[in-house]
Amino acid sequence: MASEDVKTSESAVSTIVNFAEEAKLAREGVKAPGPALLSICKSLVAGGVAGGVSRTAVAPLERLKILLQVQNPHSIKYNGTIQGLKYIWRTEGLRGMFKGNGTNCARIVPNSAVKFFSYEEASKRILWFYRQQTGNDDAQLTPLLRLGAGACAGIIAMSATYPMDMVRGRLTVQTDKSPRQYRGIAHALSTVLKEEGPRALYKGWLPSVIGVIPYVGLNFSVYESLKDWLLKTNPFGLVEDNELGVTTRLACGAAAGTVGQTVAYPLDVIRRRMQMVGWKDAASVVTGDGRSKAPHEYSGMVDAFRKTVRHEGFGALYKGLVPNSVKVVPSIAIAFVTYEMVKDVLGVEMRISD
């Protein structure tokens, strides 16, 4: 009898202990977001803010670049940076300078967030693999490995937000005289889907992806490599407390942007032209106000290259390069520095070069 009571007591104690352990596990399973998740969110926010600030700062030059890229060669309206900006101001006013910027920011904020975050993650994984292959736990990323990480980040970000980029291009190009007026992002998306089909949202995707590999890859590679070189050698006495000043980081970003956009620019021109194909009521800048030859139709990226060079010469692949250069230099610089400053404010410990 006593032994049965003992067994019953042991069973009860065991049941209580099990319940306590299950309750403990349940409490541990429902907890506040961990440091890793919080760091991811902060990194995404920093990237988004960097993209929005940098693009808004150069919005007029961004619009002029696209107008120069796609305008009808038989009806020239925009002959250069200064003349183009004056023409937009005279004909469309301040709103014309920032036309399409809302759509641009709606695209660039998530694009920039994904791009910076993807670069950090790709860098960590590539560095881990590189250390495993070399057997050197102290190995650091080389410029070529940074180029690869940047290329991965660019492809992921571009693919994720490409429909917004396509719509942004059309909203930016249309003027007050355009036969068809898109009323905004949602209207443009629905109209393209209805009249041209889902595939139209990815017109020009291939040259975009090919172009983003050297563009984003070189941006990150040049920027990070320049920073590392300056920190290690301190050739001009620019390093203070093992940190580079804002002006120096802006200069590094400007150099990175210049190299990247010069290499990838022809693909950007082809992408824009392919995005305009199939637009029945194209903007007057594309059709030449109906007074001149219509723009060419392209069957693909190679065909677009061939027709552009044949009919307009090799220089057509660099139309809009000057305003784009004036835009890219501060834009990339502002993006990198803003990203790092926002990360510092938010207390994100990991660095791009980790």
Side-chain angles (χ1 to χ4, degrees):
M1 193 74 175
S3 61
E4 290 180 0
D5 290 339
V6 171
K7 289 180 180 180
T8 302
S9 298
E10 290 177 350
S11 177
V13 171
S14 177
T15 301
I16 292 171
V17 170
N18 288 337
F19 280 143
E21 289 179 351
E22 289 176 4
K24 180 181 178 181
L25 291 173
R27 286 195 303 273
E28 291 177 350
V30 182
K31 56 185 179 181
L37 178 59
L38 194 59
S39 182
I40 290 172
C41 292
K42 288 180 178 180
S43 182
L44 289 171
V45 169
V49 171
V53 170
S54 64
R55 282 308 174 94
T56 300
V58 297
L61 291 165
E62 173 69 14
R63 183 173 186 229
L64 177 60
K65 180 204 76 171
I66 296 176
L67 290 170
L68 286 167
Q69 286 178 336
V70 303
Q71 72 175 338
N72 192 309
H74 305 287
S75 181
I76 301 297
K77 292 183 178 180
Y78 310 95
N79 291 311
T81 306
I82 303 300
Q83 181 273 337
L85 290 174
K86 286 182 177 179
Y87 184 86
I88 294 172
W89 178 267
R90 187 173 66 253
T91 58
E92 301 181 61
L94 181 63
R95 292 185 63 183
M97 290 286 191
F98 291 88
K99 184 173 287 185
N101 187 54
T103 311
N104 195 18
C105 287
R107 177 193 70 90
I108 201 62
V109 168
N111 178 284
S112 182
V114 172
K115 180 174 65 179
F116 277 104
F117 175 71
S118 297
Y119 176 74
E120 289 189 342
E121 293 303 306
S123 295
K124 291 176 182 178
R125 282 155 178 74
I126 289 174
L127 180 58
W128 177 86
F129 183 76
Y130 180 60
R131 287 174 174 175
Q132 292 292 314
Q133 293 297 309
T134 60
N136 181 8
D137 291 338
D138 296 323
Q140 297 298 318
L141 288 172
T142 64
L144 185 61
L145 293 177
R146 289 194 178 105
L147 179 67
C152 291
I155 292 172
I156 293 170
M158 171 63 74
S159 300
T161 60
Y162 192 78
M164 292 296 295
D165 182 71
M166 191 271 188
V167 168
R168 191 262 301 196
R170 293 196 175 184
L171 282 169
T172 301
V173 165
Q174 74 177 10
T175 64
D176 294 336
K177 296 181 181 179
S178 301
R180 163 63 61 82
Q181 290 287 327
Y182 293 125
R183 296 191 297 271
I185 302 172
H187 180 248
L189 282 170
S190 62
T191 302
V192 172
L193 282 171
K194 182 180 178 180
E195 296 183 355
E196 302 174 50
R199 291 184 63 182
L201 293 175
Y202 281 89
K203 281 180 178 177
W205 177 83
L206 182 58
S208 299
V209 168
I210 295 174
V212 88
I213 291 173
Y215 179 64
V216 179
L218 284 170
N219 281 346
F220 280 108
S221 181
V222 173
Y223 180 73
E224 292 296 334
S225 298
L226 269 177
K227 281 177 53 185
D228 279 358
W229 178 72
L230 289 172
L231 286 170
K232 290 176 181 177
T233 61
N234 192 19
F236 310 109
L238 300 173
V239 181
E240 296 182 5
D241 299 326
N242 203 34
E243 290 288 339
L244 294 174
V246 173
T247 303
T248 304
R249 285 184 287 165
L250 284 170
C252 292
T258 301
V259 173
Q261 66 97 26
T262 302
V263 172
Y265 193 78
L267 287 159
D268 189 53
V269 172
I270 296 303
R271 170 183 61 152
R272 290 296 174 203
R273 295 194 168 200
M274 291 180 69
Q275 287 176 346
M276 301 302 139
V277 174
W279 188 4
K280 292 188 300 181
D281 297 312
S284 57
V285 68
V286 179
T287 61
D289 291 319
R291 298 193 301 269
S292 306
K293 296 179 181 179
H296 295 289
E297 294 287 327
Y298 307 117
S299 60
M301 182 182 71
V302 175
D303 184 53
F305 265 111
R306 181 171 53 83
K307 287 181 177 177
T308 298
V309 174
R310 177 194 297 172
H311 296 285
E312 302 175 55
F314 184 78
L317 295 175
Y318 284 90
K319 281 185 174 180
L321 179 62
V322 173
N324 192 60
S325 298
V326 176
K327 177 206 73 169
V328 163
V329 169
S331 178
I332 297 298
I334 292 170
F336 276 119
V337 175
T338 302
Y339 177 69
E340 293 180 344
M341 291 177 69
V342 173
K343 282 177 67 177
D344 289 341
V345 170
L346 294 176
V348 182
E349 294 181 358
M350 56 185 178
R351 297 180 62 86
I352 293 177
S353 57
D354 284 347

